Structures are given as C-alpha cells and as structure tokens.
Amino acid sequence: MIQVSHLSKIYKNDSVETVALNDVSFEIERGEFTAIMGPSGSGKSTLMHILGALDLPTSGTYILDGENVEKLKDDELADIRNRKIGFVFQAFNLLPRTAAIKNVALPMAYAGVPKDKRSEKAKKLLEMVGLGDRLYNTPSQLSGGEQQRVAIARALVMDPSIILADEPTGNIATTQAEEIMTIFQKLNDEGRTVVIITHETNIAEHAKRIIHIRDGKIVADNGNYKQKRIKK
C-alpha cells in the first residue's frame, strides 16, 4: 500500500537548510496498523504530510497503492487525497458553527454526492462512532473526544483505504483517548490500513507495528510485516 524509498525533505530559508527527513525507507502493507513515533521535531509530521500527498519530498520515491505520487498532477493528487486517504488531525479541523452531521457530510458535498445520501451516510457514521444522539450538536457543544469522533466519521465518508491520523489524541483526556484508539483498532480489524503519528508510547502501543523516528531518520522498527506474515 505504501512504499517509501530513500525519502528526504530539506527546507531552505535563504542560505539556511533544515533537514526534516534524511534517507527514510519503509513499506506498509495493506491492512497494517502502524504507529510512527518520535519526539517533537523528529520529522514525523513532515513524513505524515508526504504520506498524505499534502507535500512532496526533496528526493526519494513515494509509491502509494502503485502510483508514484511525485509524478501526479495537482488535480490527481487532490483526487487521491479525496478517494484513498482519510485524515484525522489533532486540532479536529471542524467547522465551529456547523452541526456534526454537516461537518461529516462536507467531503461528500465537494464530491457531488446528492444531499439525501450525504445525510444518510453521515448519520450512519456518527452512529458507528457512538454519536447517534449528537447529530445536530456543534463542536462547541461537544467534548474534545466527541469532536475527534466527528473528525473520524468525516474521515470515513469517502470510504478511504488508508486512515492517516496526526496526534489524534493530543487534545483529549486519557479516558477519551483510549476510546478513540479502540475505534482505530476496529477500523483496522475491518481491513483498513491505519497509520498514526504520535509521541506517546501508550498510544503507539495500540498499533501492531511501531516505527521510531528521530532527527529525520528511522532509528527502530519493531518488525517487518512481510517477515511476520511468513513466520506465522
């Protein structure tokens, strides 16, 4: 599903160069649940943006589901982000004065899905994440954990094969964080590829594989997925 080969990302500001990623290589198989873990400034969020086709590497190759991302045009990148990837962010990124059901339905509106089908699907997804009784609440009327559930439901509306979550529990209480991770585990059990970026060990441990990154380099990977499958 994801093939990253000798990936580097360098930011330039006048004569100053900052190396965010340095020769990073790994593969993530379809159906894996992977956590990419590292401290602040390690390069993990830069990597997340590249995996989500939100940014391009300075060098190296990124193959997403058989397609070389670097060679795609802007409209093709937008289509991939819409069809194949569901994003979940730390800041939720919900419209503040818009009901939960409309927040969830928004990506479908952009895709031209009829209004009645948008509402029906948004309602089902909110019920799936335990918010069937919060359909018409705005974000300010929801707790942090509930807002993240809305964000997860929104990430699922286009039936993506990959879920990318950047510090998804960073703004919520510990109890709610465990509930959010249970949702991700369920999505993975259903066959979706889940990749979580985090700096928290207890969150990363919910994943089946942990890739540690520091100073833009992979310093540890607790197992190659192909090798683990062969051993079973």
Side-chain angles (χ1 to χ4, degrees), residues 109-124:
Y110 291 142
V113 177
K115 187 176 181 179
D116 58 336
K117 291 185 178 180
R118 297 200 305 261
S119 296
E120 180 182 354
K121 189 167 187 179
K123 180 175 181 290
K124 286 182 179 179

Side-chain angles (χ1 to χ4, degrees), residues 195-207:
V195 181
I196 289 180
I197 306 292
T198 184
H199 67 278
E200 299 178 90
T201 301
N202 63 314
I203 295 301
E205 287 175 347
H206 285 270

Side-chain angles (χ1 to χ4, degrees), residues 173-192:
T174 301
T175 302
Q176 295 174 326
E178 289 297 317
E179 294 170 353
I180 293 299
M181 294 310 299
T182 298
I183 293 174
F184 283 126
Q185 287 177 315
K186 180 182 177 182
L187 293 172
N188 178 245
D189 290 341
E190 293 171 354
R192 297 183 197 269

Side-chain angles (χ1 to χ4, degrees), residues 90-92 94 100 129-131 133-134 137-151 168 171-177 179-180:
Q90 179 178 353
F92 314 136
L94 302 175
V129 297
L131 292 177
D133 58 345
R134 297 283 194 274
N137 289 64
T138 62
S140 64
Q141 297 169 323
L142 300 172
S143 68
E146 288 171 334
Q147 289 183 63
Q148 194 60 291
R149 288 177 185 227
V150 175
N171 283 338
I172 58 181
T174 301
T175 302
Q176 295 174 326
E179 294 170 353
I180 293 299

Side-chain angles (χ1 to χ4, degrees), residues 1 26 32 53 57 72 88 104 109 112 115 127 149 161 173 178 182 203 213:
M1 177 62 77
F26 61 87
E32 268 200 83
L72 299 178
V88 181
V104 172
K115 187 176 181 179
E127 289 173 344
R149 288 177 185 227
S161 51
E178 289 297 317
T182 298
I203 295 301
I213 186 169

